[in-house]
Amino acid sequence: MCQVGEDYGEPAPGEPTPAPRPSREQKCVKCKEAQPVVVIRAGDAFCRDCFKAFYVHKFRAMLGKNRLIFPGEKVLLAWSGGPSSSSMVWQVLEGLSQDSAKRLRFVPGVIFVDEGAAFGKSLEERSKTLAEVKPILQATGLPWHVVALEEVFSLPPSVLRCSAQEPAGSEGAYKAAVDSFLQQQHVLGAGGGPGPTQGKEQPPQPRLDPQSLASPPAAAQPEALSQLFCSVRTLTAKEELLQTLRTHLILHMARAHGYSKVMTGDSCTRLAIKLMTNLALGRGAFLAWDTGFSDERHGDVVVVRPMRDHTLKEVAFYNRLFSVPSVFTPAVDTKAPEKASIHRLMEAFILRLQTQFPSTVSTVYRTSEKLVKAPRDGPAAGDSSPCCLLCMCALDVDAADSATAFGAQTSRLSQMQSPTPLTETRTPPGPCCSPGVGRVQGCGQGACRREDPQACIEEQLCYSCRMNMKDLPSLDPLPPYILAEAQLRTQRA
């Protein structure tokens, strides 16, 4: 029974000890003068100004160290409304302001993808979310695009093709581009007119894209998207499918509006969780692309992750201290139990370890930094090697029998041929599949499987995407551009 004088302040055995709060005598570890307001790690207490400088330096250093974004280049900021992507947009806005010490020189735009139809949200709920999103986008003063996820049903098959990639710029090319940009800015300034990024004194103009304000998609598309996600059996496959469709839609918008880079707000914590999740899903060969700073698998559009040095704790503190606006949008795994999917299970595992061992996220993240992209003859360098139809990563196809899980899977599929008897000979309607793929997948060892759409698509998927597609009973709910591109690849082979 509880007693009046008992002290219940000590934590129960096994519970993590809470971090000590900064005392009045403690000073900022950076300036040694102001009183700290934020404790990032044990012993790292920052005041408000020093924490902002520390946070901004991380973002700018990540961009400056890699030097992939050239001056004057158009960059599309993928904003989901969450804390990390909102902080990323805020960092870009501060970098473009006149008060910035070293101003950013690229031309940004913002895109928001409405995924409400995938979760079965009503039109009223989606309209309410967009009513919260659009004022924030308008306040940025940047060109913005609001697209619905169901628009993937109107994408062309070309979105799944890796366009020719320009050679990576060297150190000299980057410096030459900077000098040329500064010279243009000097000429514009001497002419008396402000440059494209020097319009702070100008009245704000609603720079809206006409295609962003087009009529909403047809009524059949939201129903088709809802039917697609309802037909997927597991939550793991739903999350992977959602990420794939979102990437395809953003990639198409970037190409349609001339953006050569796409910025995402993946934080250090999120990338650590993603690394462990992708290992469990069999995507170990693609970790360098999935978690690295840059992802060049799409060829002409490069995905960059400038927030990969910031933890979720730092993002939350920054957004709180400096009033960064954000919008909560429910995801496909919102309110899902811990063991509902591999993503949720791995997230709970990493975050629980982080509470007991504070170096867990940083250790996993530093491990991902050591991953090197293996050179392979992928579609970006030519068409000598096939790429996955969904994730667009180069397929790990071996000329001989492989001892990997992918090789075992393809070997099992090769035995599940068409029920045509071995004694019956049948002339295939056309040339067989490509020798590299057909020999491993089983095509060419019996009757050609081109007439079977499911087998045709399975032959063009990596191991992870193939396992996720097994949770889809039928191919009918898939967007038409996926089926069309699969048929085109088969005909070209």
Side-chain angles (χ1 to χ4, degrees):
M1 182 177 294
C2 299
Q3 302 294 331
V4 177
E6 285 187 305
D7 184 13
Y8 298 96
E10 297 182 0
E15 294 184 1
T17 304
R21 296 184 178 181
S23 61
R24 294 184 179 272
E25 295 78 11
Q26 189 177 4
K27 299 299 180 181
C28 174
V29 296
K30 185 70 174 179
C31 64
K32 310 294 183 181
E33 296 178 358
Q35 184 177 357
V37 296
V38 172
V39 178
I40 300 178
R41 291 174 296 271
D44 292 346
F46 290 88
C47 65
R48 178 187 174 93
D49 295 336
C50 291
F51 174 68
K52 181 178 181 180
F54 165 78
Y55 193 90
V56 173
H57 174 72
K58 272 190 172 184
F59 182 82
R60 304 296 292 273
M62 181 60 64
L63 293 177
K65 178 175 62 175
N66 294 275
R67 293 193 172 185
L68 288 180
I69 302 179
F70 280 46
E73 199 171 14
K74 296 185 67 176
V75 179
L76 186 61
L77 311 179
W79 181 62
S80 64
S84 297
S85 60
S86 299
S87 183
M88 177 189 67
V89 174
W90 194 266
Q91 291 296 307
V92 173
L93 291 178
E94 289 194 347
L96 295 174
S97 64
Q98 295 280 1
D99 301 333
S100 178
K102 294 183 179 179
R103 297 177 57 190
L104 300 177
R105 300 187 179 100
F106 56 83
V107 182
V110 187
I111 184 173
F112 175 81
V113 180
D114 179 19
E115 305 171 355
F119 315 139
K121 298 178 63 176
S122 62
L123 291 178
E124 292 77 11
E125 295 175 338
R126 299 178 63 184
S127 300
K128 183 179 179 181
T129 301
L130 293 180
E132 300 177 8
V133 166
K134 288 186 177 181
I136 298 178
L137 294 176
Q138 293 174 353
T140 61
L142 302 175
W144 54 273
H145 317 275
V146 174
V147 293
L149 186 62
E150 54 264 28
E151 293 185 24
V152 295
F153 285 88
S154 59
L155 291 182
S158 59
V159 74
L160 297 178
R161 301 168 194 165
C162 299
S163 302
Q165 184 179 9
E166 298 180 359
S170 60
E171 185 75 15
Y174 182 84
K175 292 182 178 179
V178 172
D179 295 339
S180 175
F181 179 82
L182 294 178
Q183 185 177 3
Q184 293 178 3
Q185 293 294 104
H186 179 71
V187 172
L188 291 175
T197 60
Q198 297 178 357
K200 186 176 181 180
E201 289 80 16
Q202 297 179 355
Q205 300 178 359
R207 294 181 289 178
L208 309 182
D209 190 277
Q211 299 185 13
S212 300
L213 303 179
S215 58
Q221 291 183 354
E223 296 178 1
L225 184 65
S226 178
Q227 179 184 359
L228 171 62
F229 278 87
C230 289
S231 60
V232 179
R233 297 189 183 98
T234 64
L235 183 59
T236 300
K238 286 183 180 180
E239 296 190 37
E240 289 293 311
L241 179 62
L242 176 62
Q243 180 180 355
T244 299
L245 297 181
R246 185 196 305 121
T247 302
H248 292 171
L249 185 58
I250 294 177
L251 181 65
H252 172 71
M253 292 295 295
R255 288 172 173 169
H257 295 87
Y259 294 96
S260 57
K261 299 290 190 302
V262 174
M263 273 191 183
T264 62
D266 296 324
S267 63
C268 171
T269 308
R270 187 57 54 191
L271 289 178
I273 297 173
K274 188 175 184 179
L275 184 142
M276 301 299 295
T277 303
N278 287 3
L279 280 176
L281 291 174
R283 296 187 57 84
F286 314 128
L287 289 180
W289 284 268
D290 293 337
T291 62
F293 173 78
S294 61
D295 184 359
E296 305 90 355
R297 78 182 75 177
H298 308 295
D300 56 340
V301 179
V302 180
V303 179
V304 295
R305 305 177 179 95
M307 298 291 295
R308 66 190 312 264
D309 261 356
H310 301 77
T311 63
L312 284 180
K313 184 177 181 180
E314 295 171 356
V315 171
F317 277 137
Y318 184 86
N319 293 355
R320 175 71 175 178
L321 289 175
F322 301 98
S323 302
V324 177
S326 60
V327 177
F328 172 74
T329 54
V332 67
D333 59 344
T334 301
K335 296 184 178 180
E338 181 179 311
K339 300 180 181 179
S341 67
I342 295 178
H343 303 77
R344 287 284 296 115
L345 183 62
M346 199 61 65
E347 178 182 5
F349 171 71
I350 293 293
L351 295 181
R352 189 179 296 113
L353 272 182
Q354 178 69 15
T355 58
Q356 300 177 1
F357 305 96
S359 60
T360 299
V361 169
S362 61
T363 301
V364 177
Y365 168 71
R366 298 304 173 189
T367 303
S368 68
E369 284 189 328
K370 301 176 183 178
L371 299 175
V372 180
K373 299 173 183 176
R376 60 178 67 189
D377 297 330
D383 289 335
S384 58
S385 179
C387 66
C388 177
L389 184 64
L390 295 181
C391 70
M392 303 178 68
C393 285
L395 291 178
D396 191 9
V397 179
D398 300 332
D401 293 338
S402 175
T404 61
F406 183 83
Q409 181 67 20
T410 54
S411 175
R412 187 179 66 86
L413 287 175
S414 64
Q415 300 174 3
M416 300 170 57
Q417 296 292 333
S418 178
T420 306
L422 296 177
T423 57
E424 179 183 351
T425 59
R426 186 181 67 171
T427 303
C432 198
C433 299
S434 61
V437 177
R439 189 165 24 154
V440 176
Q441 308 291 354
C443 184
Q445 298 180 3
C448 185
R449 302 165 60 200
R450 179 179 302 176
E451 298 178 355
D452 185 4
Q454 180 128 12
C456 174
I457 291 183
E458 285 183 351
E459 290 175 353
Q460 304 176 27
L461 298 178
C462 64
Y463 175 77
S464 175
C465 294
R466 179 178 297 176
M467 293 298 101
N468 293 325
M469 288 296 295
K470 289 184 177 298
D471 291 327
L472 189 64
S474 173
L475 299 179
D476 297 335
L478 283 177
Y481 74 97
I482 297 179
L483 303 176
E485 179 62 18
Q487 294 176 359
L488 289 175
R489 291 186 182 186
T490 305
Q491 292 174 4
R492 288 197 301 265

